[in-house]
Amino acid sequence: MGLEIIIFFGAILFGIFVYWTESKGNGLYRFFNKLFNSKELQMKVGNKKGFIYKQDLLPRVLFVAFTFLIVALIIQFLTPIAIFSSYYGISAFASAIFGTLIGTYVANFVLKSGEVIEEQSDSIEDVVKDSFNKGKEFLEDLTHKDVKVVQEAKKEIKEEPKAPEKSARERLKDKGLM
């Protein structure tokens, strides 16, 4: 179980690396695109799409699984390591595929959030400044209002106390209702 976890986290890092390198350039994908497609169907010059970068879920899963399958078959037949002959080998194989897919989505999230932060950095700075200024104004209003309230309370205290009013019972007696 420990080796599978190590393979899983290594595959996540591998997926992040693959996604990041494809986001920088997609030469291999362009090569295969030119090889397999006619002139009309080839991708445009500005298109950044790659095997993993900017792909939907299904093509991404197929590419990662197919790549790992080819690598596993090469290892199976050229070395004494038997990947597909035991549960542990198949489990490690599945962990590597799943970890790589998770790594590609983690890298997608990080790259997209970095782009959003760069685009919004000026507006975030303005929002922080505005909220800071509003906070200052609010504190000034509170301090001025507190002084006014204290002064009004002092005035009320200095005034002479009013004569105590009659209770409701006494008023009813005065009217003759009780």
Side-chain angles (χ1 to χ4, degrees):
M1 186 71 169
L3 183 61
E4 291 170 2
I5 293 173
I6 293 169
I7 290 171
F8 180 72
F9 285 114
I12 290 175
L13 293 175
F14 177 70
I16 291 170
F17 174 74
V18 168
Y19 191 87
W20 179 73
T21 54
E22 270 204 354
S23 71
K24 298 297 177 192
N26 59 351
L28 189 62
Y29 189 78
R30 282 190 180 283
F31 172 73
F32 282 115
N33 189 317
K34 285 182 182 178
L35 187 67
F36 293 128
N37 292 328
S38 66
K39 198 76 156 161
E40 298 86 29
L41 296 176
Q42 289 179 5
M43 60 193 296
K44 305 290 185 244
V45 176
N47 195 350
K48 291 244 183 201
K49 189 180 229 180
F51 288 109
I52 293 176
Y53 185 68
K54 291 192 175 182
Q55 284 285 1
D56 293 334
L57 175 68
L58 190 59
R60 192 178 291 195
V61 169
L62 289 174
F63 173 72
V64 170
F66 187 68
T67 303
F68 273 103
L69 182 64
I70 289 172
V71 170
L73 288 173
I74 290 170
I75 291 173
Q76 177 90 20
F77 290 116
L78 296 180
T79 64
I81 300 171
I83 293 177
F84 298 114
S85 64
S86 68
Y87 165 77
Y88 298 111
I90 294 172
S91 178
F93 178 72
S95 295
I97 292 173
F98 190 66
T100 303
L101 288 171
I102 288 177
T104 61
Y105 282 103
V106 168
N108 183 18
F109 174 74
V110 170
L111 288 177
K112 293 271 183 174
S113 63
E115 291 172 1
V116 169
I117 288 172
E118 287 176 6
E119 290 174 2
Q120 300 293 331
S121 63
D122 294 335
S123 64
I124 291 173
E125 183 178 329
D126 293 339
V127 167
V128 170
K129 284 182 182 178
D130 290 343
S131 61
F132 183 72
N133 290 335
K134 285 181 182 178
K136 276 185 175 178
E137 292 172 4
F138 180 71
L139 287 176
E140 288 174 3
D141 288 346
L142 283 179
T143 56
H144 293 304
K145 286 181 181 178
D146 288 344
V147 170
K148 290 178 185 176
V149 169
V150 169
Q151 289 174 355
E152 289 176 6
K154 286 181 181 178
K155 286 180 184 176
E156 288 178 5
I157 291 173
K158 288 182 182 177
E159 292 177 2
E160 293 180 22
K162 296 179 182 177
E165 294 182 13
K166 291 183 179 181
S167 67
R169 176 172 286 211
E170 291 173 353
R171 286 183 296 204
L172 287 174
K173 283 183 183 177
D174 290 344
K175 290 181 180 177
L177 298 172
M178 264 182 96

